[in-house]
Amino acid sequence: MVKRVHNFSAGPAVLPVEVLLEIQQELVSYKGKGLSVMEMSHRSVEFQAIMDDAINDVKSILNLGDDFEVLFLQGGASTQFFMIPLNFCPDDKVANYINTGAWATKALKEAAKNGKQMHVAASSEDKQFTYIPKQYTISENPAYLHITTNNTIRGTEFKTALDTGDIPLIADMSSNIMSKSIDAKKYALIYAGAQKNIGPAGTTLVIIRKDMIEKINPGLPTMMDYNTHISKSSMFNTPPCFAIYVVGRVLKWILAKGGLEAIEKINIEKANYVYDILDNSDFYEGTVVMEDRSMMNIPFRLPTEELEKKFIAESKEMGMLNLKGHRSVGGCRASLYNSLPMKAAQDLAQFMIEFEEKNK
Ligand SMILES: *Cc1c(COP(=O)(O)O)cnc(C)c1O
């Protein structure tokens, strides 16, 4: 076996080793066809099957029926930041946002461009985004409400879907997509860059409820118009074939684990290894309010910045990578995405205990 590190990166992030080995097996000659997925036509029978499987598996994992379209696009979640207002906010309506962190801020800034009207329905900026606002005020004539279900940098997470009634609920789920069971039907649109929980960088999963299609603004540039991608099943232009193929294998891996209920159980157990230490220590300090803390990204501080540097350096020596907090907030952060093995969380917990013993 090749040696693997424990990779706590916030993204691009760890992939299941089983999936990597499968891909390695198939790399040079996919299903004995004599060529790799990177080299084949996106119009081939083989790639069509990869695409169809990926779409069906997304629907099956999230329990969605034929009233949803599943797309695999390019440009990252960041492209969705402006595609959403372009498509779904007409000039006489207002795009509503809950601001829970750096990514949400980037999303709402895009909605305030090009003459669009944007309203911040709630924000946790007053306390450095360390909590999820529990109340929000929607504007008049709302086009939709946008939320970021998991805040990758700050480590907070919406625990349940909001009930917005007739107002379309749109969610950036980049960093917690398929990490737990959710009621996906409540969302008018879900998007997620693949590179955190479901695959490599290069494709963005977009799920659109079909009743949204008639709301799409007319006259948009072709590639910016969701209609283009829906009508051509994500193949208007060459899709990121290899990234979609890897996502497809991760989806099969999720299904083989028993789907989202099973994944959620594992993720809770993993996160608890770290949270138990934060909760029982005067040395480590969690940085967000307990009820809103994320199962995916766990930021924490040590007593001094010097100790944090030492912690990061020593953990690296032990084969635990990317425990440094985001450059905008400092400190430490452990990202425990779906594909991170339980053993990695256990080893991190053990290391944290020993580090505290030696340095308190
Ligand atoms: C990483 C991240 C993004 C940005 O994704 P890109 O694919 O790099 O554009 C957006 N939103 C959230 C919540 C993220 O974690």
Side-chain angles (χ1 to χ4, degrees):
M1 256 313 265
V2 187
K3 187 183 176 296
R4 298 266 295 165
V5 296
H6 292 327
N7 182 5
F8 297 96
S9 170
V14 55
L15 287 166
V17 69
E18 300 92 318
V19 168
L20 293 174
L21 290 169
E22 229 177 276
I23 289 163
Q24 183 183 40
Q25 275 285 314
E26 293 178 340
L27 190 68
V28 177
S29 178
Y30 179 74
K31 293 200 168 170
K33 298 290 169 190
L35 79 176
S36 72
V37 175
M38 279 180 275
E39 301 164 290
M40 59 176 62
S41 166
H42 56 296
R43 311 284 177 205
S44 63
V45 176
E46 287 77 25
F47 188 74
Q48 190 62 58
I50 289 171
M51 182 67 104
D52 292 346
D53 263 16
I55 292 168
N56 289 333
D57 289 343
V58 166
K59 286 188 178 176
S60 138
I61 290 169
L62 291 173
N63 210 3
L64 296 173
D66 286 337
D67 46 341
F68 285 83
E69 293 282 354
V70 175
L71 303 175
F72 289 99
L73 305 182
Q74 299 187 60
S78 300
T79 292
Q80 298 307 305
F81 292 168
F82 66 81
M83 272 183 81
I84 287 161
L86 268 184
N87 280 264
F88 296 121
C89 187
D91 290 346
D92 60 344
K93 289 203 172 180
V94 183
N96 280 250
Y97 284 74
I98 297 187
N99 190 5
T100 49
W103 293 115
T105 303
K106 284 189 177 164
L108 66 87
K109 278 190 178 154
E110 293 299 314
K113 285 186 180 170
N114 302 309
K116 303 279 181 203
Q117 301 178 67
M118 188 277 296
H119 168 74
V120 179
S123 171
S124 51
E125 198 173 4
D126 58 340
K127 290 185 179 158
Q128 283 97 47
F129 300 118
T130 53
Y131 70 104
I132 297 289
K134 305 298 177 304
Q135 266 131 33
Y136 56 91
T137 321
I138 300 279
S139 69
E140 282 191 21
N141 289 323
Y144 58 78
L145 176 66
H146 178 286
I147 62 171
T148 310
T149 51
N150 185 74
N151 298 283
T152 325
I153 296 171
R154 291 290 170 173
T156 59
E157 182 171 17
F158 281 86
K159 295 299 170 187
T160 48
L162 302 180
D163 206 343
T164 52
D166 289 342
I167 303 163
L169 180 59
I170 293 182
D172 176 358
M173 295 196 185
S174 291
S175 53
N176 71 346
I177 184 97
M178 296 182 186
S179 67
K180 58 182 181 180
S181 24
I182 59 164
D183 190 354
K185 293 189 188 70
K186 283 197 164 175
Y187 296 88
L189 189 150
I190 292 170
Y191 65 100
Q195 70 274 20
K196 277 139 193 174
N197 245 331
I198 53 166
T203 191
T204 307
L205 170 65
V206 181
I207 302 165
I208 306 179
R209 205 172 58 212
K210 282 188 180 162
D211 64 281
M212 294 297 285
I213 296 173
E214 65 191 40
K215 299 186 186 193
I216 294 174
N217 286 324
L220 297 176
T222 310
M223 283 295 284
M224 298 296 100
D225 187 335
Y226 286 117
N227 275 314
T228 303
H229 303 292
I230 291 168
S231 66
K232 300 290 183 189
S233 306
S234 300
M235 293 219 224
F236 169 74
N237 69 325
T238 317
C241 301
F242 197 78
I244 295 168
Y245 157 67
V246 181
V247 169
R249 289 308 161 98
V250 174
L251 298 174
K252 299 261 183 237
W253 177 87
I254 292 174
L255 284 166
K257 286 258 172 206
L260 295 188
E261 272 173 35
I263 291 276
E264 178 171 8
K265 261 197 198 147
I266 298 168
N267 284 338
I268 291 172
E269 204 180 326
K270 277 192 297 197
N272 279 343
Y273 275 110
V274 179
Y275 280 128
D276 280 350
I277 291 175
L278 302 188
D279 292 346
N280 293 301
S281 155
D282 299 324
F283 186 78
Y284 299 104
E285 194 186 357
T287 54
V288 303
V289 307
M290 200 179 272
E291 60 183 359
D292 299 326
R293 60 197 189 180
S294 166
M295 270 207 301
M296 297 283 99
N297 312 97
I298 308 182
F300 55 93
R301 305 295 314 229
L302 276 68
T304 65
E305 282 185 20
E306 230 154 60
L307 280 169
E308 284 167 349
K309 274 201 191 114
K310 194 172 175 210
F311 179 90
I312 291 156
E314 284 184 18
S315 59
K316 201 169 167 186
E317 273 168 35
M318 304 278 291
M320 291 182 250
L321 265 55
N322 298 312
L323 285 164
K324 198 171 178 209
H326 190 268
R327 58 192 182 281
S328 64
V329 299
C332 301
R333 172 179 54 173
S335 295
L336 312 177
Y337 295 124
N338 284 353
S339 312
L340 186 88
M342 185 72 72
K343 177 81 166 62
Q346 289 165 342
D347 286 356
L348 174 61
Q350 189 57 39
F351 172 75
M352 288 174 79
I353 292 166
E354 285 165 14
F355 188 89
E356 176 174 353
E357 276 305 310
K358 275 187 258 170
N359 293 283
K360 72 179 171 194

